[in-house]
Amino acid sequence: VTDELTLRRPDDLHLHLRDGDLLRAVVRHSSGPFARGLVMPNTVPPVLTATDAEAYRKEIRDAVPAGHRFEPLMTIKVVPSTTAETVRQARAAGVVAAKLYPEGVTTNSADGVRDVMALALAFAAMAEVGMVLCVHGESPEAFCLDREARFVDHTLPRLVDEVPDLRIVLEHVSSATAVDWVRSAPTGLDGRHRVAATVTVHHLLLTLDDVVGGMLAPHHFCKPLAKRPEDRDAVLAAALSGDPRFFLGTDSAPHRRRDKESAEGCAGVFTAPVALPVLAEVFEDHGALPRLDAFTGSHGAAFYGLAPNEGTVRLVKEPWVVPADHGGVVPFRAGTTLRWQFVDGGDQGPTG
Ligand SMILES: [Zn+2]
């Protein structure tokens, strides 16, 4: 019986850290277990340029507790005014990805993009400088459960076809249609995968029943919505398969309790505090524990062209109860007992 698990220090390749007080309240839940996080740019105001990204990176670094070694991987938000020059300057400032939100599709996306191909020059610049395009792949005009499938059928093929060297991550994949599409997407001329997908913790577990099937569960409300059991099972199978195109991006998205338990509740699940313990349970329950390390520690880094992290983290099989609240934010699985526990004391690797 395995009662201890050692993983390469993991990457969270889709993360919302917010700013100000909320950033300071939540960042330790990512900077403790994770070596790096790809930090989403949909703050208020958003991160649009190299200058914005540098300022936000500094704010995050200043908020990380002493003793944690955490590298925020910065992104900019693609908006109608994003140009090739915006992209080049951002890349020069170390920005690794740009995030595309269709207009109006999720938190703070009212300034999102309506006509994706109007940005072809910016996308071409991204391909040229080696910046990844991260896509919130939902078409807002479709019925809510069909938005991802519509995006995958209508918009994603155009992006792939018309910007030949662009590398794309379909974020928080949530439907069988999207999983199948990622699996069948064309590779680049160099033979490398051009399309990959992040997988959240909560989309491995939830269906729409867990959101609205009984009492309304606002802390399970997220975009894209958790869908049918067969969609959840397809996402799960992709994560467990060891296919390098599927890797962890938690989409941990903290909102204050009052903003979730509200007449106009915000979308997002705060999974950072439980991500590794829940993943260990899921992978173990499906006999795939040996594949967890690659899902959290190497597939994503490889797609992004980043060196894998050095050092390890440790989990032990020791039941614990998830707190009801972390600084005014309700974590995923709050109040429930998890059997794996993250413990400090892994090898953080060489400092530098
Ligand atoms: Zn997100």
Side-chain angles (χ1 to χ4, degrees):
V1 176
T2 309
D3 56 8
E4 188 169 321
L5 180 61
T6 301
L7 301 172
R8 180 189 294 279
R9 293 187 73 218
D11 291 319
D12 182 351
L13 287 162
H14 184 132
L15 174 62
H16 297 270
L17 287 176
R18 314 304 188 198
D19 53 14
D21 289 346
L22 194 49
L23 165 66
R24 285 186 289 276
V26 301
V27 69
R28 67 189 176 90
H29 298 291
S30 295
S31 62
F34 291 94
R36 295 180 291 212
L38 188 75
V39 185
M40 293 295 120
N42 63 333
T43 47
V44 183
V47 179
L48 300 179
T49 65
T51 308
D52 298 341
E54 284 171 330
Y56 189 31
R57 179 195 283 132
K58 180 178 187 315
E59 188 185 358
I60 294 166
R61 284 182 173 159
D62 289 349
V64 170
H68 286 184
R69 284 199 310 112
F70 177 75
E71 186 185 353
L73 303 171
M74 304 312 293
T75 63
I76 55 169
K77 184 173 179 175
V78 177
V79 291
S81 59
T82 304
T83 65
E85 192 52 27
T86 315
V87 167
R88 289 194 190 95
Q89 287 174 357
R91 185 65 185 144
V95 170
V96 303
K99 177 75 183 286
L100 173 67
Y101 297 89
E103 181 186 17
V105 85
T106 191
T107 305
N108 303 331
S109 63
D111 58 352
V113 174
R114 181 166 296 191
D115 178 8
V116 166
M117 294 320 298
L119 287 156
L121 288 176
F123 296 146
M126 291 178 61
E128 184 191 311
V129 300
M131 197 187 284
V132 170
L133 180 67
C134 300
V135 177
H136 183 118
E138 290 194 290
S139 295
E141 72 280 5
F143 173 66
C144 60
L145 289 180
D146 299 331
R147 285 175 190 163
E148 187 173 271
R150 175 77 62 89
F151 189 91
V152 160
D153 287 341
H154 289 248
T155 306
L156 211 40
R158 292 175 62 205
L159 271 172
V160 170
D161 291 346
E162 293 180 34
V163 194
D165 297 318
L166 185 61
R167 296 161 63 71
I168 299 171
V169 176
L170 181 61
E171 299 294 332
H172 38 58
V173 67
S174 69
S175 63
T177 303
V179 166
D180 289 346
W181 195 89
V182 170
R183 285 212 179 96
S184 65
T187 52
L189 292 173
D190 57 3
R192 294 171 71 202
H193 293 302
R194 285 183 56 202
V195 177
T198 50
V199 179
T200 76
V201 175
H202 49 286
H203 286 104
L204 296 174
L205 291 163
L206 302 180
T207 71
L208 192 56
D209 265 343
D210 298 301
V211 189
V212 295
M215 300 286 274
L216 180 64
H219 299 286
H220 289 166
F221 171 58
C222 61
K223 299 288 182 67
L225 289 167
K227 296 186 173 60
R228 299 170 185 82
E230 51 269 37
D231 293 305
R232 188 264 321 273
D233 293 347
V235 173
L236 183 59
L240 299 173
S241 69
D243 185 327
R245 290 170 289 190
F246 296 93
F247 46 81
L248 178 65
T250 64
D251 196 17
S252 180
H255 292 282
R256 302 270 185 209
R257 180 191 284 271
R258 62 172 178 269
D259 296 326
K260 294 288 288 176
E261 300 173 4
S262 159
E264 295 187 313
C266 294
V269 184
F270 181 42
T271 48
V274 297
L276 295 181
V278 171
L279 286 171
E281 273 194 17
V282 170
F283 276 66
E284 185 178 46
D285 286 344
H286 292 87
L289 207 47
R291 292 189 182 145
L292 179 58
D293 187 63
F295 180 71
T296 57
S298 56
H299 291 339
F303 188 84
Y304 272 88
L306 301 166
N309 298 307
E310 299 196 46
T312 55
V313 293
R314 204 159 58 91
L315 287 91
V316 293
K317 202 179 250 182
E318 217 168 86
W320 63 293
V321 178
V322 180
D325 188 288
H326 282 300
V329 183
V330 177
F332 188 53
R333 301 285 307 267
T336 68
T337 301
L338 298 180
R339 65 176 184 269
W340 285 98
Q341 183 163 175
F342 170 73
V343 285
D344 284 321
D347 167 17
Q348 292 239 321
T351 49

